[in-house]
């Protein structure tokens, strides 16, 4: 079974609108972390936001927030007030267990977001 | 701080050749990893290290070797390049974080490898 599933290969959003990128995960480990990365066309991987499995509140970082629904095993990324510069590939990733075993990430296949005027 | 640096940026190899992809970080991070990115498949873990002298295999280790003689450097060696190793390679590093829950993994700019 896929550990990280991103079901939206491509998404379009109008500038200044909010957009939700879906991510579901599968793990039996009670301790895990969920990450979102942005990869623009230039190719670098940019860390956006992190949610730990024991965190009580949903993570937020500026215009990014993570809608964490533990029982449903989903960790959707919400981008508010989309900007043209948000056009990129977005990856959801998971680390199982604390980092004592190394910060090993499993990635989804990504969602290509295009922001339109 | 330079962060995570990778060299070369781009490399073309012939089948059977060997080469080393270099990765260095100046953040004194304990953890370092190598990933490969193929079209439509996201990133997959090749090898990782939790500290100098300690390495282990990830999801797709075949055809690659690593070593970690210092905290700063984590080179990836291709022993005998194959066309299937054509990919973009990313090195990443992170600290252990509070109680072992490291939050941020920093990625290098990547190395594009083409094997003919």
């Amino acid at each position: 079974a896929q550990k990280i599933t991103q079901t939206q290969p491509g998404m379009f959003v109008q500038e200044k609108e909010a957009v939700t990128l879906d991510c579901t995960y599968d793990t039996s480990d009670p301790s895990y972390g969920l990450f979102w990365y942005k990869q623009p066309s230039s190719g670098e991987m940019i860390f956006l936001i992190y949610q730990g499995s024991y965190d009580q509140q949903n993570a937020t970082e500026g215009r990014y927030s993570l809608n964490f629904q533990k029982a449903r095993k989903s960790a959707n990324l919400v981008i508010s007030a989309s900007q043209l510069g948000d056009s990129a590939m977005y990856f959801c990733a998971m680390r199982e267990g604390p980092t004592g075993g190394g910060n090993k990430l499993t990635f989804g296949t990504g969602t290509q977001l295009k922001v339109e005027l | 701080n330079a962060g995570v640096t990778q060299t070369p940026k781009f490399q073309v190899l012939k089948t059977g050749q060997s080469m080393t992809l270099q990765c260095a970080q100046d953040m004194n991070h304990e953890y370092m990893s190598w990933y490969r990115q193929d079209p439509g498949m996201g990133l997959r873990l090749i090898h990782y290290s939790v500290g100098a002298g300690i390495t282990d295999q990830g999801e797709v280790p075949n055809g690659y070797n690593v070593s970690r003689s210092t905290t700063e450097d984590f080179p990836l060696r291709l022993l005998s390049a194959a066309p299937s190793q054509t990919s973009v390679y990313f090195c990443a590093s992170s600290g252990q974080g509070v109680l072992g829950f490291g939050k941020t993994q920093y990625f290098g700019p990547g190395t594009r490898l083409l094997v003919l």
Side-chain angles (χ1 to χ4, degrees), chain A residues 7-112:
Chain A
T7 57
Q8 307 153 313
M11 290 277 287
F12 289 90
V13 65
Q14 295 287 322
E15 194 182 23
K16 300 178 185 173
E17 297 289 312
V19 63
T20 298
L21 306 184
D22 295 340
C23 174
T24 58
Y25 60 92
D26 183 27
T27 181
S28 57
D29 196 318
S31 172
Y32 54 90
L34 296 157
F35 300 75
W36 276 93
Y37 284 87
K38 172 184 179 182
Q39 187 177 43
S41 58
S42 52
E44 70 268 32
M45 295 289 289
I46 302 169
F47 166 75
L48 295 178
I49 197 166
Y50 168 85
Q51 179 85 43
S53 59
Y54 296 122
D55 293 343
Q56 294 296 312
Q57 293 190 321
N58 286 350
T60 59
E61 293 284 351
R63 293 187 300 111
Y64 304 108
S65 60
L66 202 151
N67 184 1
F68 181 46
Q69 297 187 44
K70 197 169 181 176
R72 298 180 61 184
K73 293 188 175 179
S74 76
N76 299 339
L77 176 71
V78 180
I79 306 175
S80 63
S82 297
Q83 302 171 356
L84 295 178
D86 294 333
S87 294
M89 182 71 87
Y90 289 80
F91 289 98
C92 179
M94 175 174 67
R95 180 201 66 234
E96 294 176 276
T99 57
N103 214 359
K104 301 173 287 184
L105 299 185
T106 301
F107 283 81
T109 52
T111 295
Q112 183 71 49

Side-chain angles (χ1 to χ4, degrees), chain B residues 3-4 55 63 66 70 112:
Chain B
V4 181
T55 64
V66 292
T70 66
R112 290 185 175 274

Side-chain angles (χ1 to χ4, degrees), chain B residues 1 4-5 9 24 32 36 43 45 47 52-53 59 61-62 64 69 71 73-74 77 79 81 88 100 102 109 111-112:
Chain B
N1 285 352
V4 181
T5 58
K9 285 188 171 60
M32 296 186 75
R36 61 178 286 174
L43 279 75
L45 182 65
H47 285 285
E59 182 186 352
N62 292 343
Y64 308 95
S69 57
T71 299
D73 300 299
F74 191 43
R77 281 181 288 276
L79 308 172
V88 180
T111 294
R112 290 185 175 274

